[in-house]
Amino acid sequence: MQPKRVIVPYTGTEIGGSHISSFTLCRALQDLGIEVFAYANKDTQIAHEAARYDLTVRELSETPAARHNLAYDLLRLPFRAHMLRQEGPGIIVHCHGMGALQSWGPAAKLVGAPLVYHNRAFNRPILANRLIMNLADKSIAISESVKKLMAFLPAGKVETIDNPFALGGIPNRSEERQKLVNELDLAAEGPIIGFVANFWERKRPFFFLDVCKVILERHPLASFVMFGRKGDVAVSAIEDYARHIGIADHLHLPGFRLPVESNIAALDLMLAPAINEPLGRTPIESLLLGTPYVATDDAGHGEIGRRWAGGRLVDKAADYPAFAAVALDVLDHPASVLLKEDKKLEITHALSAANHATKVVELYSRLL
């Protein structure tokens, strides 16, 4: 039995890779004839982006938070349950984060709606998180690394389903590169090395800058572009560190920008030094777009590199000179890592939004 409608609640305000993955799934579900309603706070980036993906947005007036405190969620429970009842029978509540699961999971259980948790993070297996995750009737893990951390759940309650990757067309890399050169006044003769992530400690932005310093010694006309916004690392801290190590004149911080495809396509090399990455969109987007990448061989990034290639992996314990040595080798020999077109087409199909949505609907049908 296929659901009539799927409710996808969000609690925060800003967009990240997990939101893009969830919106991609939602649009594909609508292509299969399932109505999708995004619950999001009004006038937020999430609400605007959900609308851009052609989702129906039910605007909320809740306090925005990545995760609310339990007292707040308890107070909001009657209202949330009422909202879900208004959607009628045959709904699925599909939560794409722990904050949403904590806030909307109890309401789903209260009205008897099947509850799905889509885990795209390494949530700490503390008691509170275990209790919240146990609310879900079924959980989806985006990688085997994520699934391992959910081993406390009953057998058969967690399935691994690949994230959807629906690129908004394949941009011309030469044209995108020239646009970026013109916009940021880069040295066109030198390589453009990029960091495509928000500035969180686990993404290792300072490690990236240290690697760039080594690359600059070999390529004095190199440009380093960091597409992202403040996480737990301030933009000013990035700028200060770049000045401290002497690469500030080569560093550019254009902020968080969409579409991601244009950012990655403009690069000669994408570096992903993050650790503890549940999966990571950027290496997959890089290999599909034909942009070489170098990533840390850890968790989800390691899975990507071994499963699909398209770049090089560096041991998690490697220091920044060792990481830079691999990056320089890839810059010198990009063809050694790039995938052939037939391989890219195979991966594109396997990770297509339509293929992903079909697997998710099969899960829904079993629940109903």
Side-chain angles (χ1 to χ4, degrees), residues 99-139:
L101 183 63
Q102 176 183 299
S103 292
W104 288 89
K109 305 305 283 187
L110 195 62
V111 303
L115 177 64
V116 175
Y117 172 47
H118 212 128
N119 192 0
R120 294 187 168 89
F122 288 139
N123 300 302
R124 292 183 300 151
I126 59 176
L127 180 59
N129 287 347
R130 290 180 180 224
L131 291 173
I132 292 167
M133 279 192 264
N134 262 297
L135 285 173
D137 299 298
K138 198 79 171 180
S139 290

Side-chain angles (χ1 to χ4, degrees), residues 55-74:
L55 308 183
T56 299
V57 179
R58 302 282 203 231
E59 292 189 337
L60 305 175
S61 296
E62 299 194 343
T63 302
R67 191 166 174 178
H68 293 114
N69 65 60
L70 291 174
Y72 181 88
D73 282 331
L74 185 61

Side-chain angles (χ1 to χ4, degrees), residues 1 11 34 43 46 89 107-108 112 160 213 229 269 313 322 339 344:
M1 178 182 175
T11 61
I34 299 171
D43 296 326
I46 290 175
T160 302
K213 179 176 173 59
R229 70 165 82 86
L269 179 65
L313 296 173
L339 300 178
K344 286 197 287 187

Side-chain angles (χ1 to χ4, degrees), residues 79-108:
F79 168 78
R80 292 168 180 161
H82 175 71
M83 278 195 73
L84 294 179
R85 284 195 189 94
Q86 293 293 103
E87 302 293 355
I91 65 170
I92 293 272
V93 178
H94 192 147
C95 298
H96 290 263
M98 278 290 286
L101 183 63
Q102 176 183 299
S103 292
W104 288 89

Side-chain angles (χ1 to χ4, degrees), residues 174-255:
S174 297
E175 291 179 3
E176 294 298 337
R177 188 184 194 278
Q178 190 58 52
K179 287 179 189 174
L180 196 65
V181 166
N182 294 342
E183 178 190 349
L184 302 180
D185 194 23
L186 309 181
E189 304 84 358
I192 303 173
I193 292 88
F195 177 98
V196 186
N198 290 328
F199 305 149
W200 299 97
E201 285 284 356
R202 70 178 181 83
K203 303 285 188 178
R204 301 206 289 178
F206 300 115
F207 186 94
F208 169 81
L209 294 174
D210 287 329
V211 171
C212 291
K213 179 176 173 59
V214 177
I215 293 174
L216 190 62
E217 293 170 2
R218 171 89 72 83
H219 295 279
L221 294 179
S223 299
F224 310 113
V225 185
M226 299 181 75
F227 293 104
R229 70 165 82 86
K230 175 186 178 298
D232 54 8
V233 176
V235 174
S236 59
I238 301 284
E239 294 170 330
D240 289 345
Y241 191 72
R243 281 192 292 270
H244 174 69
I245 63 175
I247 67 168
D249 291 344
H250 295 261
L251 178 65
H252 303 267
L253 298 161

